[in-house]
Amino acid sequence: DRSVLRVAGDGAARFLQGLCSQDVPLIATSSSRAAPAAFLSPRGKVLCDVILLSRGPSEILVDVHSGVAQNLVKLLMRHRLREPLKIEDISSSHKAVAHLPATSLAQGSTSSGSDVQPDLPTDFFLDPRFAAVGHRAVLEVAAADALLAAGALDLSAYHFWRVCCAVPEGPADLPVDSVLPLHANLDLLNFISFKKGCYTGQELTARTKHRGAVRRRFFSVVATADGSPQAFLDGLGLAPEAPLPAGMVARAAASNGSTDLPGLRVDAVAGGEPPDEAARSVQALKPGAEAAKASGVLHSVAGNVGLCMLRCEGQFNERENFKDQSALPDGTALTTAAALPLAWRAPPYAFVE
């Protein structure tokens, strides 16, 4: 579900520097030569999320969700003006691929999942958003297809693990021009440089970070067959920086599908009309309250685990806020609109410096 774009020519990094949230010239000096970035609208909302891969001083590859790739091409072409740049979609010759850490599928594992796998081709690099997600690469089609044929890569498993890591991705989590980057945790996932110069959408992003109150954030939510998801989470004994263990989460689901969350399916059984926002709403019954109130919306889901954008009680401008407070008061009961009990958990990367 990914496309690969190529921006090449003198000034490629400088060109992208003025359009996205990442400090593009620094990518070439990083060990992986890759970094996440967001393209924002003048209103400061996310148009699309990408991973930029430097291939030299005059060439940058853009790994982007296929659903928004052509919109991004049009945006880049519109801003190119007379720059001597070549902007093209090279998805017919290159593929973006991901390789999951061994622990992502280990039965009962509670590791952070960032183990280095020495047998990977040298093109692979640790995911620059959150190392626990695994490794990524942009490969020529033949090389990518060879890995797929060997069973090394699986899209549905990737999305299940991505959701267990609470990493938002693509239009399911970032509908075009609808979500502020801080609400989507992009500042916690290395998408945003607060030290670089001007770029489209910067003013509102910086003002929200330093002077506003960030009261919406993505959190993980889980449902279980026994109807006691909080007891399930407590029983895992996870370190806060560890992702949810995929095997144990999958085994906690009901076999008849009754614990499948009503969000935007990103796993193998995705299909049909997606539920509307009312069906995806999450209700919170706080201690002492007479009735539950809408407190969030489900986005990416894979079976019984998903990403929920919760409206938080306090301010969550900084990583430290996740350590100091809970999104909702202790004792709050969280459910889907259809009364399926949920437990929520802070994103693990909020606890990684």
Side-chain angles (χ1 to χ4, degrees):
D1 59 354
R2 306 293 290 182
S3 294
V4 181
L5 311 182
R6 177 176 177 264
V7 180
D10 291 341
R14 182 182 67 249
F15 169 69
L16 292 173
Q17 178 79 344
L19 295 176
C20 74
S21 60
Q22 187 56 258
D23 202 341
V24 182
L26 294 182
I27 298 175
T29 66
S30 69
S31 58
S32 66
R33 302 176 69 85
F39 289 84
L40 309 180
S41 71
R43 300 193 304 156
K45 296 189 175 182
V46 179
L47 297 176
C48 64
D49 61 304
V50 305
I51 293 178
L52 302 177
L53 178 61
S54 175
R55 295 276 290 265
S58 302
E59 183 181 15
I60 295 175
L61 302 185
V62 184
D63 171 0
V64 60
H65 193 280
S66 298
V68 291
Q70 290 309 305
N71 288 343
L72 180 56
V73 170
K74 292 176 183 177
L75 183 149
L76 296 176
M77 295 294 288
R78 187 166 66 247
H79 285 87
R80 183 182 64 173
L81 301 177
R82 295 184 179 181
E83 292 271 6
L85 298 173
K86 187 171 186 178
I87 298 169
E88 57 184 337
D89 187 333
I90 60 170
S91 303
S92 60
S93 60
H94 290 74
K95 284 185 178 179
V97 294
H99 194 286
L100 303 183
T103 50
S104 68
L105 301 177
Q107 299 300 302
S109 170
T110 59
S111 165
S112 65
S114 59
D115 311 63
V116 175
Q117 297 185 18
D119 57 331
L120 288 176
T122 57
D123 302 272
F124 280 83
F125 50 88
L126 276 173
D127 194 303
R129 300 168 298 181
F130 182 34
V133 177
H135 291 76
R136 298 182 72 89
V138 173
L139 304 175
E140 292 185 357
V141 167
D145 287 346
L147 285 174
L148 287 167
L153 307 167
D154 181 83
L155 184 61
S156 61
Y158 165 75
H159 280 302
F160 194 92
W161 179 239
R162 173 180 69 80
V163 173
C164 284
C165 292
V167 173
E169 181 180 286
D173 297 316
L174 305 163
V176 176
D177 204 12
S178 299
V179 179
L180 292 174
L182 273 63
H183 290 170
N185 299 355
L186 299 192
D187 56 322
L188 306 176
L189 287 162
N190 307 314
F191 277 80
I192 302 171
S193 170
F194 290 100
K195 297 180 180 179
K196 65 176 284 186
C198 296
Y199 61 91
T200 304
Q202 179 194 35
E203 182 179 356
L204 181 59
T205 302
R207 188 167 66 244
T208 302
K209 178 72 169 179
H210 299 299
R211 301 177 64 182
V214 181
R215 295 186 184 277
R216 286 183 173 86
R217 288 287 194 177
F218 270 128
F219 287 76
S220 299
V221 290
V222 179
T224 58
D226 64 4
S228 302
Q230 191 58 55
F232 167 74
L233 284 186
D234 293 343
L236 293 175
L238 292 176
E241 68 275 11
L244 290 167
M248 297 183 75
V249 169
R251 291 202 304 275
S255 59
N256 62 2
S258 62
T259 51
D260 287 357
L261 301 183
L264 303 174
R265 295 299 294 261
V266 292
D267 53 8
V269 298
E273 287 296 318
D276 60 22
E277 188 164 319
R280 294 188 288 120
S281 70
V282 168
Q283 309 291 313
L285 178 62
K286 299 175 183 177
E290 295 182 357
K293 293 184 178 180
S295 293
V297 176
L298 289 165
H299 286 261
S300 283
V301 300
N304 62 324
V305 61
L307 289 180
C308 177
M309 185 170 288
L310 278 178
R311 187 162 55 249
C312 306
E313 287 287 296
Q315 297 184 20
F316 282 78
N317 293 45
E318 306 291 342
R319 292 179 187 273
E320 290 71 22
N321 299 135
F322 290 88
K323 303 173 185 177
D324 299 338
Q325 58 188 328
S326 175
L328 298 170
D330 291 343
T332 297
L334 207 64
T335 66
T336 65
L340 177 66
L342 300 173
W344 76 94
R345 183 174 186 260
Y349 44 81
F351 301 90
V352 178
E353 297 298 333

